[in-house]
Amino acid sequence: SPEMYKETFDILSPNRQSRILAMKTDEEKRNAVAFEMLARKCLSALTDAPEFAFNILTGINKLCLVSNFSAYFSLSMNGDFLCCAADKVPIGIDCRKMEPFRFSEAQRLFSDVELRQIFATTVRSLADIVRYDVCDMQTEMLQYWKMYTMKEAYFTALGRTFRNFRDVSFDFSNGTVTCSDARFTYDSSHKSPDGKYVFSIVRKTG
């Protein structure tokens, strides 16, 4: 709302206000203020400090730092869905719209073990999946985008700009999720309230 926009904008530093005002479109400005508002609310909940107290530094690949608090946060936006995660250790969050994908693309991104996990509950045969390529069943899309967002969240927490999905793997075949990089822990995955988006959280614990 205009009131929330003004309330958040007014607590930003003059430098941050100038950077937002210099953005080309009103949509870019609204999104920037929405990011600030959500990040500050998450940080306030984490630290019990007031929302205006944080000096936010934007880090690489959506891993962001707070210079005057021992805190990290991550923001992700896809379509009209915006989410944030904050912690006292590096943390990554990623959201994606749950939509059909191509099996050939999944083969490029994921290992054979990960593919078996993605398609573990499908009612289709592998021959049919390969033949038709487009995967649009709910169970397939949920598992695919869950795996996809796990990896994006991992790279965000890692702070890496170059992302090769084959550099890390997640195993959720036995009911728990483990990351091949032992320094990082999978937190959780969720669907948005409207069921259109999937988001996952990964944090550095070692």
Side-chain angles (χ1 to χ4, degrees), residues 78-79 95-100 141 145 149 196-198:
N78 194 281
C95 70
R96 301 287 160 163
K97 188 173 183 179
M98 200 169 70
E99 56 190 4
M141 290 191 295
W145 291 112
T149 55
K196 293 181 180 179
Y197 298 91
V198 177

Side-chain angles (χ1 to χ4, degrees), residues 29-81:
K29 295 174 185 177
R30 286 194 299 269
N31 286 343
V33 173
F35 271 56
E36 287 274 355
M37 179 176 65
L38 183 56
R40 290 175 181 278
K41 287 185 180 297
C42 287
L43 291 166
S44 179
L46 174 69
T47 63
D48 290 328
E51 293 177 14
F52 62 80
F54 306 103
N55 182 18
I56 290 175
L57 303 176
T58 302
I60 57 175
N61 257 357
K62 299 177 290 184
L63 173 62
C64 306
L65 310 176
V66 183
S67 65
N68 57 338
F69 282 81
S70 179
Y72 300 81
F73 69 96
S74 172
L75 291 154
S76 183
M77 185 175 188
N78 194 281
D80 57 1
F81 187 71

Side-chain angles (χ1 to χ4, degrees), residues 45-199:
L46 174 69
T47 63
D48 290 328
E51 293 177 14
F52 62 80
F54 306 103
N55 182 18
I56 290 175
L57 303 176
T58 302
I60 57 175
N61 257 357
K62 299 177 290 184
L63 173 62
C64 306
L65 310 176
V66 183
S67 65
N68 57 338
F69 282 81
S70 179
Y72 300 81
F73 69 96
S74 172
L75 291 154
S76 183
M77 185 175 188
N78 194 281
D80 57 1
F81 187 71
L82 171 65
C83 55
C84 178
D87 205 340
K88 295 182 178 180
V89 296
I91 190 168
I93 190 170
D94 187 71
C95 70
R96 301 287 160 163
K97 188 173 183 179
M98 200 169 70
E99 56 190 4
F101 63 95
R102 292 191 175 277
F103 179 71
S104 53
E105 178 68 2
Q107 283 183 302
R108 185 182 69 83
L109 293 173
F110 302 118
S111 68
D112 290 344
V113 172
E114 291 171 329
L115 287 174
R116 285 196 292 271
Q117 294 179 80
I118 291 171
F119 292 97
T121 58
T122 187
V123 297
R124 297 195 299 163
S125 68
L126 179 60
D128 282 343
I129 293 171
V130 173
R131 181 182 303 116
Y132 295 108
D133 195 33
V134 175
C135 302
D136 56 5
M137 296 189 67
Q138 286 293 315
T139 55
E140 297 170 355
M141 290 191 295
L142 176 60
Q143 298 290 33
Y144 175 87
W145 291 112
K146 180 180 176 181
M147 182 71 79
Y148 191 103
T149 55
M150 282 182 194
K151 296 205 174 193
E152 286 284 2
Y154 163 80
F155 285 116
T156 296
L158 185 62
R160 185 191 291 186
T161 53
F162 173 74
R163 303 184 176 200
N164 183 346
F165 271 27
R166 294 296 187 110
D167 287 348
V168 67
S169 62
F170 287 91
D171 182 357
F172 53 86
S173 59
N174 61 358
T176 60
V177 181
T178 57
C179 179
S180 60
D181 187 340
R183 298 172 300 167
F184 291 82
T185 301
Y186 164 78
D187 182 278
S188 55
S189 294
H190 307 274
K191 291 171 70 174
S192 61
D194 61 8
K196 293 181 180 179
Y197 298 91
V198 177
F199 62 97

Side-chain angles (χ1 to χ4, degrees), residues 6-19:
K6 184 178 186 307
E7 180 182 337
T8 302
F9 186 83
D10 287 347
I11 67 174
L12 302 181
S13 67
N15 180 56
R16 182 61 177 150
Q17 289 180 346
S18 297
R19 289 174 62 187

